[in-house]
Amino acid sequence: MASLSTNFYDLTRDELLALATRWGFPGVHAARLWAYVYLSGEENWAKMPELPARFRTKAEAELSFGRLAVAIEQKSSDGFTHKYLLSLADERRIETVLMRYTGRVTACISSQAGCAMGCVFCATGQMGFVRHLTPGEIVAQAMHVDAILRTAAPGAALAQAQSHSPHGRHERLRNIVLMGMGEPLHNYDSVMTAIDILCDPTGLALGGKKITLSTVGVVPGIIRLADEARPVHLAVSLHGATQEERAALVPVAKKWPLEDLMEACRYYMRKRERRIFYEWTLIEGKNDSAENAHAVGRLLRGQLAQVNLIPLNPTAGYAGEPTGRDAARRFQQTLAGYGLPSTVRQRRGIDIAAGCGQLATAR
Ligand code: SAH
Ligand code: SF4
């Protein structure tokens, strides 16, 4: 039966307070409900402390918790990466990844089922666009990972990743990358509402600095992010340093050309006084030559930028090979000559297809 109730996770705190006011209750009850759910992770109405019975009855009748059911869970052989195939209410599916490396826990979250942008080497792009996610479906992914961390015993293996959480000695989710399925700036409003919810100081209270949003280069979205002073870190997928080379890998570059993208990035950096992370998928013989590295250097020289190099992960629809370690190192050295710091992303979770660009589901 279709539910007519509102998904609690779709609501910002202000929206929940406004809803309670419309029901004729003081905002303080709603504020308590909000904090309780996000701090405890509990969804059991009977357990809600300090909520007057009348308010609880009304809230229970009007609200539901749109948790996402786990269809499949996979663990990488090194134990550092967990991938969850999650079912949405309409049976569509998305993937969320929990990563325990670089000394911390990070959730890689999806913003859409599928993706409309069609990057040739990306499994999500290869499957095409299914639909946008609602704010609640984005928040519920974070709640799912948080619940896993909260209920896991904080044993020795987790100790190094332990957060300095004010919520007790159990681990909590502190870092999110919007780098799962989909293009977050193609689903701008829902993604921003979700970020507001995740960052609310009386809820999960993720600092905006703990959230990194990666975009394929949706120029109007980058400008809006800057104008609205959204607190997240911005990562921009580059992959080619000339319009022609980029458009061959990232078809939407035809819509938002490299020149416009660079102008939007410079605008963002000026306005936000923040550096940008540029992502570069390293494909052997395609975009990993010395000349390619010099072109990146010339393009980004003088910017407050960092380049994240991602050796290509295998996908069914693209035949390229990843750049080897030595060539990646040479690429980095060339970038360093232009004053550009860079990192080579660790290849983790490849055995369960949980690496960058490997997320895909049946439509
Ligand atoms: N849609 C956003 C975020 C998701 S993808 C974006 O495109 O930025 C996160 C990063 O993984 C992007 O930089 C993307 O280009 C890269 N990526 C996609 N497919 C990949 C693959 N097969 N191997 C390595 N990186 C890939
Ligand atoms: Fe979409 Fe990003 Fe994949 Fe491109 S790389 S198809 S924008 S998810």
Side-chain angles (χ1 to χ4, degrees):
M1 193 180 73
S3 164
L4 294 177
S5 57
T6 301
N7 181 0
F8 178 89
Y9 296 119
D10 270 329
L11 302 173
T12 63
R13 184 172 180 275
D14 284 350
E15 286 168 348
L16 182 66
L17 263 59
L19 200 57
T21 308
R22 279 210 295 285
W23 298 338
F25 290 95
V28 63
H29 297 340
R32 264 193 208 130
L33 169 62
W34 169 275
Y36 179 72
V37 172
Y38 282 109
L39 295 185
S40 71
E42 280 283 353
E43 296 175 344
N44 185 343
W45 292 103
K47 283 196 190 167
M48 306 268 174
E50 302 171 40
L51 285 187
R54 271 186 53 241
F55 175 71
R56 208 168 54 198
T57 306
K58 179 68 177 166
E60 189 172 357
E62 300 284 342
L63 299 173
S64 60
F65 294 105
R67 275 292 171 105
L68 307 173
V70 180
I72 301 175
E73 174 179 354
Q74 285 173 287
K75 205 186 276 188
S76 65
S77 53
D78 64 11
F80 286 111
T81 309
H82 289 221
K83 185 169 86 166
Y84 301 93
L85 179 68
L86 302 174
S87 291
L88 308 174
D90 63 357
E91 305 296 315
R92 301 295 194 186
R93 290 178 165 191
I94 52 166
E95 292 187 317
T96 301
V97 182
L98 190 170
M99 302 174 291
R100 293 181 189 277
Y101 46 90
T102 59
R104 60 183 176 199
V105 180
T106 302
C108 179
I109 283 182
S110 295
S111 57
Q112 300 175 318
C115 183
M117 302 292 140
C119 304
V120 296
F121 47 70
C122 171
T124 316
Q126 289 157 16
M127 71 178 270
F129 181 67
V130 179
R131 71 166 171 85
H132 293 303
L133 299 188
T134 64
E137 287 167 339
I138 299 169
V139 171
Q141 294 174 68
M143 291 303 281
H144 170 71
V145 172
D146 188 57
I148 286 161
L149 297 175
R150 217 169 349 87
T151 49
L158 305 183
Q160 69 168 127
Q162 203 97 61
S163 73
H164 303 287
S165 153
H167 312 307
R169 64 192 285 275
H170 287 282
E171 215 177 0
R172 300 296 305 256
L173 176 62
R174 305 316 303 159
N175 302 287
I176 288 183
V177 290
L178 275 155
M179 295 187 187
M181 297 171 75
E183 167 48 45
L185 297 186
H186 182 212
N187 187 17
Y188 191 95
D189 291 332
S190 291
V191 167
M192 295 310 146
T193 301
I195 288 171
D196 287 345
I197 295 169
L198 297 170
C199 291
D200 185 282
T202 65
L204 278 179
L206 284 164
K209 287 196 176 140
K210 304 285 186 175
I211 301 179
T212 301
L213 181 154
S214 174
T215 178
V216 70
V218 178
V219 166
I222 295 171
I223 292 168
R224 216 174 136 189
L225 268 185
D227 287 340
E228 294 174 359
R230 297 286 176 179
V232 293
H233 283 302
L234 180 62
V236 174
S237 296
L238 200 54
H239 311 311
T242 65
Q243 169 62 13
E244 201 188 349
E245 285 171 7
R246 185 164 188 268
L249 297 170
V250 179
V252 294
K254 295 186 192 94
K255 184 166 181 185
W256 296 296
L258 185 59
E259 205 177 312
D260 298 359
L261 176 60
M262 284 300 112
E263 202 178 306
C265 289
R266 280 191 293 269
Y267 177 74
Y268 178 92
M269 277 181 274
R270 265 201 318 277
K271 192 119 189 185
R272 301 291 295 131
E273 296 177 343
R274 282 243 171 130
R275 76 179 152 166
I276 288 183
F277 299 92
Y278 288 99
E279 290 155 297
W280 187 275
T281 295
L282 278 171
I283 311 167
E284 193 180 58
K286 188 96 188 169
N287 66 355
D288 65 348
S289 68
E291 180 42 43
N292 293 133
H294 283 291
V296 178
R298 287 192 299 271
L299 185 71
L300 302 183
R301 184 168 33 197
Q303 287 193 23
L304 189 62
Q306 176 171 320
V307 181
N308 292 338
L309 301 166
I310 318 169
L312 180 75
N313 293 316
T315 60
Y318 187 69
E321 292 291 326
T323 298
R325 195 183 290 226
D326 291 345
R329 205 167 292 142
R330 282 196 296 277
F331 203 95
Q332 284 193 286
Q333 280 159 2
T334 304
L335 295 182
Y338 290 85
L340 290 168
S342 63
T343 58
V344 180
R345 196 165 291 168
Q346 295 176 59
R347 299 188 84 220
R348 286 265 165 81
I350 307 306
D351 55 335
I352 55 165
C356 289
Q358 291 190 304
L359 305 184
T361 64
R363 292 168 62 90

